[in-house]
Amino acid sequence: EKILDCGHPCKRKCWQDCDCMVWTEVELGCSHQEMVGYDEDKDEIRYRVVPHVQTVKCGESPLECDRVVPKVRSECMHEVHVPCNVDPNKEACHLCEEEERREAEEAARQKAEEE
């Protein structure tokens, strides 16, 4: 059995070309926090760090992380769920949109009452 440069075995016959066919999990270097419970003694919520991984063919580079995670928009401080590689401030805030819609409806109703 032939061993490839990457350290994985080749399952093909000795005269056949061999590319590594092994799939591996690669840590992407990004993560998010996940709530795991409440510490009553310290009166605080406990979190754990969840690293993001991607399964790729040996020797290939992973794609950008697209795992959907909760993030806080700095513009309005609302939480949105976006892919890890996306800036939350570039996504629409559904809570702000709903608030603006209600305010517009209220203004239209008041205007109609005045007429």
Side-chain angles (χ1 to χ4, degrees):
E1 186 171 88
K2 181 178 172 183
I3 302 296
L4 301 172
D5 291 341
C6 63
H8 294 124
C10 176
K11 304 288 185 193
R12 295 183 150 194
K13 304 290 182 199
C14 61
W15 68 87
Q16 294 175 314
D17 287 338
C18 196
D19 292 328
C20 188
M21 301 302 286
V22 173
W23 290 80
T24 58
E25 269 196 355
V26 176
E27 233 177 89
L28 300 176
C30 54
S31 62
H32 72 278
Q33 288 190 338
E34 189 173 85
M35 187 173 71
V36 293
Y38 181 74
D39 186 332
E40 290 182 16
D41 294 334
K42 295 181 180 178
D43 192 28
E44 64 186 20
I45 298 172
R46 290 187 335 212
Y47 294 92
R48 72 180 177 108
V49 175
V50 180
H52 295 171
V53 296
Q54 202 174 92
T55 303
V56 297
K57 194 173 172 183
C58 180
E60 291 184 0
S61 297
L63 303 172
E64 282 190 57
C65 184
D66 61 357
R67 181 170 178 171
V68 176
V69 296
K71 292 186 177 183
V72 176
R73 297 179 81 243
S74 61
E75 296 172 1
C76 62
M77 299 310 291
H78 289 138
E79 183 176 88
V80 293
H81 292 261
V82 296
C84 183
N85 63 346
V86 172
D87 178 352
N89 293 310
K90 293 184 178 177
E91 295 293 308
C93 177
H94 300 293
L95 292 172
C96 288
E97 288 176 345
E98 179 64 24
E99 195 174 296
E100 289 171 8
R101 185 190 62 76
R102 274 187 296 218
E103 288 173 359
E105 286 175 355
E106 177 66 23
R109 190 170 43 82
Q110 286 179 356
K111 185 177 180 181
E113 288 175 0
E114 291 172 1
E115 294 175 353

